[in-house]
Amino acid sequence: MYLTTFAIAATALTDDTGALATAFPGSFAYYVLYINGQPQNANISTLTTTITIPGGDVLDDELPILVEVVVN
């Protein structure tokens, strides 16, 4: 059974200065997705103009989500 994909726009997040993010970098070396403080396996999400999590519709809206993007 496949569940609905959960997508998070960059504009729903803040950057490391505390300001609202405007976009994810177009080019990056890698990223790490943390859900509730736990790093997730690389195959659990994709990062383009949004971060998408297949089956993420089961996530509680109150869970903290952090995306660490390392640029080249």
Side-chain angles (χ1 to χ4, degrees), residues 2-3 6 12 17-18 20 22 25 29 32 35 37 39 45 47 49 51 54 56-57 59-61 63 66-67 69 72:
Y2 291 98
L3 301 173
F6 184 69
T17 68
L20 284 176
T22 56
V32 180
I35 299 176
S45 64
L47 179 68
T49 57
I51 187 156
D57 64 335
L59 294 176
D60 185 332
D61 288 342
L63 280 176
L66 172 86
V67 182
V69 181
N72 299 343

Side-chain angles (χ1 to χ4, degrees), residues 9-72:
T11 54
L13 305 172
T14 56
D15 63 17
D16 47 348
T17 68
L20 284 176
T22 56
F24 290 118
S27 174
F28 54 89
Y30 66 91
Y31 72 95
V32 180
L33 171 67
Y34 297 87
I35 299 176
N36 203 23
Q38 300 297 311
Q40 303 299 303
N41 291 335
N43 63 349
I44 197 171
S45 64
T46 56
L47 179 68
T48 56
T49 57
T50 61
I51 187 156
T52 56
I53 307 166
D57 64 335
V58 298
L59 294 176
D60 185 332
D61 288 342
E62 299 298 317
L63 280 176
I65 294 180
L66 172 86
V67 182
E68 176 184 20
V69 181
V70 177
V71 293
N72 299 343

